[in-house]
């Protein structure tokens, strides 16, 4: 019964998010991203193959650059938008526990983030298959797509879990999002690979998950994980467990805050 | 120890559907509501007080959006903050925001679906409720294109669609023209006739006098008094007060008002008329008649010197 309510909240939230103007920015940007591998090719001393160019673009542009911001934006928007304009009252008046509302909103944000990242990667693969890339197997390696889709889904779920936590907790959640993505994640990415704090980020476990599945060459591994000079699969650890713990922790904390806070009593600033 | 307000027209029995028992609400050091006790039965109750008197806080406590710092709020015996209680009431909040991209019908149906009503049934029920509220074919238009009156109907629709036992309306008359006010009054009376308890808040007593059975007077977070509206109105009678009437035809409106015996002064502005009234008997009925002619002759009524101030002074002694 509550699962149906979560899905209904997610459906309604998704319907609202699909009206966002961000789509008008992201979708053309993803189409233009087809040109990124071409730029890499033009500027490289040693021209990369199709596999390498796809992995670099899909990872750095889609997973590392776009997905965090899309996820943070939609996650914050899903929970903080109606707190800000006070229309959350309509939802809080329904016979539905607040945790159901929160999970539904998070789910919708995670779905739209994953879908946008997946769309971008699909367009990239499509665009590259129309260009004259040198693929090791002689044809565009579409088997790369499931690994990148899965990584996008994990990144989408994790970034939006941070975003909903910030959205229910802080008055300026996007400022905290900038701090998390640009400050915290960047700082942590320069720490040794064994540092425990790395599991409190999204980018690091997602990168490890992808590398584990991708089984890259040393060169590609260095390009995807520059702080690791000698890539050793033994260092990858258990990224799925880290991400699952991270998401569950964020959501539990967000549910606790969302369930207790009287947003009506917060003065407007 | 609870200090209930002086009940001017005490009612026997204990069949209350909404009950406040010694309820207080504080935000840090600020007390928004202090030791409020009252019971609402199937009737129309007006909640009157100046801006900041604690009306909205009381409404939000009644519908579980806020938890009391002390005391207990129950609806049909169910604690107001519990999800189960939310099936029993409908709340029409005093906020402008509605999802502009949805149609009125879609919005009400979406809220109904969170009450567990299936998609088609919710769609049909939303249509039925909005039709009854007079939204008619406009319910299929996007809310972003609605007038204030239409938005108010949508807000009312989401509060009524699940057949609640208690309906709480927070300043429902705000921004409505006299015709829409008259229609809303009739709808509230219809609700009361069907056995629903209705609590309507306003900072203008006259707005409520045509529809409520009883009035609760709020002042500085306290329930100052409760009683029948005519009793309180009699106390106000003869006390002069001023209203600002916004109008697209201010000069025409002033000409109409000048002929009314209750009007003691008029100041005509570009888009409004400030009218001084001595004794309200019949004035608001006449004004509704003038406003019903349409053409924006009366767009909004705003009290200039809240007449409640004199009543409060009178009641407090």
């Amino acid at each position: 019964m509550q699962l149906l309510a979560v899905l209904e909240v997610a459906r309604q939230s998704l319907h609202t998010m699909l009206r966002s103007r961000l789509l008008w920015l992201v979708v053309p940007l993803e189409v233009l991203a087809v040109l990124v591998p071409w730029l890499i090719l033009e500027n490289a001393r040693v021209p990369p193959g199709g596999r390498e160019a796809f992995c670099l673009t899909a990872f750095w542009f889609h997973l590392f650059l776009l997905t965090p911001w899309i996820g943070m934006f939609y996650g914050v928007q899903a929970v903080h938008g109606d707190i800000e304009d006070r229309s959350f009252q309509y939802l809080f008046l329904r016979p539905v526990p607040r945790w159901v509302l929160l999970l539904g909103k998070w789910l919708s944000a995670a779905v739209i983030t994953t879908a946008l990242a997946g769309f971008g990667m699909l367009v990239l693969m499509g665009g590259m298959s129309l260009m004259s890339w040198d693929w090791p197997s002689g044809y565009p390696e579409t088997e790369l797509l499931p690994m990148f889709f899965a990584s996008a889904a994990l990144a989408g779920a994790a970034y939006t879990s941070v975003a909903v936590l910030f959205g229910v907790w802080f008055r300026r959640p996007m400022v905290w999002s900038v701090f998390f993505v640009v400050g915290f994640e960047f700082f942590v990415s320069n720490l040794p690979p064994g540092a425990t704090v790395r599991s409190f980020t999204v980018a690091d476990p997602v990168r490890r998950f992808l590398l584990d599945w991708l089984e890259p060459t040393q060169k590609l591994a260095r390009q995807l994980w520059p702080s690791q000079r000698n890539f050793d699969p033994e260092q990858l650890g258990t990224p799925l467990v880290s991400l699952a713990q991270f998401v569950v922790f964020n959501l539990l904390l967000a549910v606790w805050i969302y369930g207790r806070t009287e947003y009506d009593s917060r003065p407007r600033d | 120890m609870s200090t209930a307000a002086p009940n001017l027209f005490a009612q026997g029995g204990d069949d209350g559907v909404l009950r406040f028992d010694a309820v207080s609400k504080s935000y840090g050091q600020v007390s928004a509501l202090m030791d409020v006790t009252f019971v609402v039965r199937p009737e129309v109750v007006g909640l009157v007080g100046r801006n900041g008197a604690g009306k909205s806080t009381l409404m939000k406590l009644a519908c579980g959006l806020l938890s009391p710092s002390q005391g207990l709020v129950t609806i049909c015996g169910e604690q107001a903050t519990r999800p189960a209680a939310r099936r029993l009431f409908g709340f029409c909040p005093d906020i402008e925001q509605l999802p502009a991209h949805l149609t009125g019908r879609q919005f009400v149906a979406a809220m109904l679906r969170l009450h567990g009503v299936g998609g088609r049934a919710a769609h049909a029920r939303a249509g039925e409720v909005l039709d009854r509220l007079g939204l008619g074919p406009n319910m299929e238009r996007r809310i972003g294109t609605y007038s204030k009156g239409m938005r108010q109907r949508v807000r009312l629709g989401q509060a009524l669609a699940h057949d609640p036992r208690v309906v709480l309306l927070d300043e429902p008359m705000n921004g409505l023209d006299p015709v829409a006010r008259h229609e809303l009054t009739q709808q509230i009376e219809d609700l009361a006739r069907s056995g629903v308890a209705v609590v309507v808040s306003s900072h203008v007593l006259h707005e409520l006098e045509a529809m409520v059975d009883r009035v609760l007077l709020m002042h500085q977070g306290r329930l100052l008094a409760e009683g029948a509206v005519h009793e309180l109105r009699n106390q106000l009678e003869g006390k002069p007060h001023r209203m600002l009437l916004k109008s697209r035809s201010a000069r025409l409106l002033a000409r109409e008002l000048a002929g009314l015996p209750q009007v003691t002064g008029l100041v005509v502005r570009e888009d409004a008329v400030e009218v001084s009234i001595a004794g309200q008997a019949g004035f608001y009925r006449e004004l509704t008649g003038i406003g019903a002619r349409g053409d924006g002759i009366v767009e909004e009524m705003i009290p200039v010197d809240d007449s409640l101030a004199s009543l409060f002074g009178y009641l407090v002694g």
Side-chain angles (χ1 to χ4, degrees), chain B residues 247-249 252 291-299:
Chain B
S247 171
R248 266 183 261 164
S249 327
L252 180 62
R293 289 175 212 161
D295 298 333
I297 192 163
V298 183
E299 293 182 319

Side-chain angles (χ1 to χ4, degrees), chain B residues 69-85:
Chain B
S69 307
Q70 281 179 356
L72 188 64
V73 183
T74 54
I75 292 183
C76 302
E78 197 77 53
Q79 209 171 316
T81 45
R82 299 229 170 110

Side-chain angles (χ1 to χ4, degrees), chain A residues 10-158:
Chain A
R11 188 192 66 81
Q12 292 185 16
S13 183
L14 201 56
H15 190 255
T16 304
M17 283 192 271
L18 286 173
R19 311 287 308 182
S20 166
R21 288 182 187 152
L22 185 72
L23 286 179
W24 295 99
L25 176 70
V26 171
V27 172
L29 205 60
E30 290 188 326
V31 173
L32 283 176
V34 174
L35 298 175
V36 175
W38 177 74
L39 289 172
I40 295 173
L41 183 67
E42 282 292 296
N43 296 304
R45 274 177 294 178
V46 182
R51 178 187 170 87
E52 211 176 319
F54 176 83
C55 289
L56 287 175
T57 311
F59 180 78
W60 287 111
F61 184 77
H62 290 288
L63 275 181
F64 201 78
L65 187 68
L66 274 190
T67 304
W69 293 114
I70 297 171
M72 295 310 268
F73 175 82
Y74 279 117
V76 165
Q77 196 61 27
V79 294
H80 195 76
D82 57 13
I83 292 174
E84 191 66 15
D85 70 12
R86 310 225 147 186
S87 58
F88 69 89
Q89 291 184 8
Y90 296 115
L91 287 180
F92 283 13
L93 294 170
R94 309 300 145 195
V96 176
R98 288 195 194 176
W99 66 264
V100 168
L101 299 175
L102 187 99
L103 288 190
K105 285 165 175 275
W106 165 71
L107 185 62
S108 63
V111 164
I112 197 167
T113 304
T114 305
L116 279 172
F119 170 77
M121 291 164 184
L122 198 64
V123 169
L124 178 66
M125 180 60 84
M128 287 182 68
S129 64
L130 297 175
M131 298 176 189
S132 53
W133 283 94
D134 179 23
W135 295 88
S137 50
Y139 54 86
E141 292 178 23
T142 50
E143 60 270 26
L144 289 170
L145 283 174
M147 1 184 147
F148 276 91
F149 285 168
S151 305
L154 290 174

Side-chain angles (χ1 to χ4, degrees), chain B residues 271-285:
Chain B
D271 60 346
V273 178
E274 191 180 311
V275 55
S276 301
I277 309 146
Q280 303 90 40
F283 173 77
Y284 289 97
R285 199 166 40 247

